[in-house]
Amino acid sequence: MKKYIIYIVILIAGLFMGWLFFGDSSSNEETHDHTTAEKGKMWTCSMHPQIMQPEPGDCPICGMDLIPAEAGAEGLSANQFKLTKNAMALANVQTTVIGNAISTDNTITLSGKIAENEKSNAVQVSYFAGRIERLNVNFTGEKIRKGQLLATVYSPELVKAQQELLTAASVKENQPALYKAVRNKLKLWKLSENQINQIEETGKVKENFPVYATVSGTVSEKLVEQGDYVSQGQALLKIANLNSVWANFDVYENQISNFKVGQDISITTNAYSNETFKAKVSFIDPVLNQETRTVTMRAVLNNSKGKFKPAMFVTGKVEATEKQTEQQLNIPATAVLWTGKRSVVYVKPEASKPVFEMREVVLGGRAGDNYQVEKGLKAGEEIVTNGVFTIDASAQLQGKKSMMNHTKEIMESFSTPKEFKEQLQKAYEAYIDLKDALVKTNADVAKTSAENLQKDLLSVDMKLLTNEEAHKQWMQLIPALKSSNEEIAKATDVAIQRKHFKVLSEHFIMAVQSFGINEVTYKQYCPMADSDKGAYWLSKEKQVLNPYFGDMMLKCGEVKETINNN
């Protein structure tokens, strides 16, 4: 009996020690997991990343179970994505700080652009008529110096004038006035004394004459090509002296009184984020722009090192002379993307990092090239103003919120002119060829088909769309169509082609829904494409032939919609 009592005591002691060491910690751990794992967690759908909910459940679009939306490996939120510097450069992505932000120290921040100094610009002309036998300026942006040979021109008039000179030289003793008049005529055509004397001494008529640069600078525009005929006084080149440039800023009507000529201004640009350039206000436009309700304020910048390029975005900061209040916020129209009735922009949260996120905004009226912002942005935030469609396509490819998956709204359909619909129909035929090449997993044929499609897209004449809303909608679609198709044409790997075909297809579907083509087409969908994110495409037949998998899963997919707006 005593032995059983000892066993029971040992068993109870063991159970007590187990609870002491493991039971309490397990309970604490369970409590800890519950309090930390759920706090702040968002849930999303693997096929519809635009869905974000604070708790688990079913996707309201497809019904699939939601999964945790974790922050990225680089500390990005679920809605943010990153671009490489190379990708930003290729897409010519430009950002700007919006509005005339007012800081706590009463400093006004202005958005502006670099422009050529018009006072230093010149036009190089031909002083005699003829045909350009040789043009020595090969490209825009080429630097030239005063006295440099720019072109050689064959001029029948100069040939005739030289013959007159030789005749007049033979009788100059008897007719000095005639001789002098002929020489002066040649001087009017900018022939030098040495050139005239050489013609007279050799007795030979020169057929081709040189045109020399009258100023130094950078060629900003070529106005002629080799072989062209030019008239006397016709412009050949536009030459800009970029040793100094203008920084032009827009000043709102209610802030004009805070600025004056001679005022100090500090200028920064994304290209040289660590540098601040000091200048003074040199000009304030006396005429108000009635559309934007702004005036242009200018500062002259020394550009002897060539840092500033025309059209470069800059930011200026000026200390206000009066206490400021916030004003109506405006953003460039180029920054806005439309998704049905909604409008979105891309915001750059941190100036030093190439990270972006989509933001829905509420816009007011349009004034010239700007929209008024009623909700969604604050003065001083940095937004994308150039390369927006490339940014949106990158967001879509990374499964982030984008114009294409942000809303379930279908873009508005329009009554489309017959000629425009025929041009879109031709592009549709090229699109189908591209789709068929991907079905056959033929990268070479897909590349050729994409090149043909690009030509057809460029041939679509948007001027045929007289409806302002229709015109605006096509303007929203065409850059994304061209950029995604260009990537397919450049790629030699069919996997890469299929990746960009998804973006191309979604924009092309929107184009067909909005403007129509001359036949029925079928919008088809594969839920397993793009790593189970799903993808759409258009087909002439109801039968599913999958361009994202080819023979691997040829019949994977279904018809989602029959589009018949011809």
Side-chain angles (χ1 to χ4, degrees), residues 426-466:
K426 188 177 179 183
Y428 169 74
E429 298 293 342
Y431 167 88
I432 292 297
D433 290 341
L434 172 58
K435 184 266 296 182
D436 290 343
L438 294 176
V439 168
K440 297 175 183 177
T441 316
N442 193 323
D444 292 337
V445 175
K447 181 179 177 70
T448 302
S449 300
E451 291 170 353
N452 293 334
L453 174 56
Q454 197 73 357
K455 294 175 184 176
D456 292 333
L457 289 173
L458 293 171
S459 298
V460 176
D461 186 4
M462 69 179 71
K463 294 178 182 178
L464 296 170
L465 297 174
T466 54

Side-chain angles (χ1 to χ4, degrees), residues 73 90 114 167 180 325 515:
L90 289 173
I114 296 296
T167 301
K180 185 177 180 180
T325 57
F515 305 104

Side-chain angles (χ1 to χ4, degrees), residues 304-414:
S304 57
K305 295 183 179 180
K307 289 188 173 183
F308 297 103
K309 318 296 181 185
M312 181 183 285
F313 286 108
V314 291
T315 300
K317 291 187 177 181
V318 181
E319 185 176 348
T321 58
E322 302 174 0
K323 185 64 180 176
Q324 299 297 297
T325 57
E326 291 291 340
Q327 75 290 327
Q328 176 64 57
L329 186 64
N330 290 266
I331 61 174
T334 56
V336 182
L337 292 174
W338 297 91
T339 63
K341 296 179 181 179
R342 299 180 183 179
S343 49
V344 298
V345 298
Y346 277 95
V347 179
K348 189 179 181 187
E350 297 183 50
S352 60
K353 297 180 180 179
V355 174
F356 303 90
E357 65 180 38
M358 193 183 74
R359 180 90 56 83
E360 185 174 334
V361 294
V362 177
L363 300 179
R366 178 165 179 166
D369 294 330
N370 297 278
Y371 281 105
Q372 294 180 344
V373 179
E374 295 182 355
K375 186 179 179 181
L377 290 171
K378 297 183 295 184
E381 288 192 291
E382 190 172 357
I383 64 172
V384 178
T385 50
N386 192 69
V388 187
F389 284 98
T390 304
I391 292 286
D392 187 79
S394 297
Q396 187 181 356
L397 289 171
Q398 295 183 40
K400 303 295 183 178
K401 283 186 178 182
S402 72
M403 180 181 74
M404 297 300 303
N405 60 25
H406 179 56
T407 176
K408 293 183 284 184
E409 298 176 25
I410 296 176
M411 296 189 85
E412 185 179 354
S413 297
F414 300 96

Side-chain angles (χ1 to χ4, degrees), residues 462-517:
M462 69 179 71
K463 294 178 182 178
L464 296 170
L465 297 174
T466 54
N467 180 300
E468 184 178 351
E469 291 301 315
H471 188 89
K472 181 172 71 175
Q473 194 142 302
W474 179 254
M475 288 285 287
Q476 292 284 341
L477 289 170
I478 188 60
L481 286 168
K482 291 194 295 186
S483 62
S484 55
N485 188 60
E486 281 176 358
E487 294 300 323
I488 297 172
K490 289 191 296 185
T492 56
D493 185 342
V494 74
I496 296 174
Q497 291 175 332
R498 284 168 169 160
K499 182 179 180 181
H500 292 285
F501 182 72
K502 175 183 176 179
V503 181
L504 172 69
S505 293
E506 291 185 343
H507 287 86
F508 211 100
I509 290 168
M510 295 174 73
V512 171
Q513 288 173 328
S514 297
F515 305 104
I517 54 176

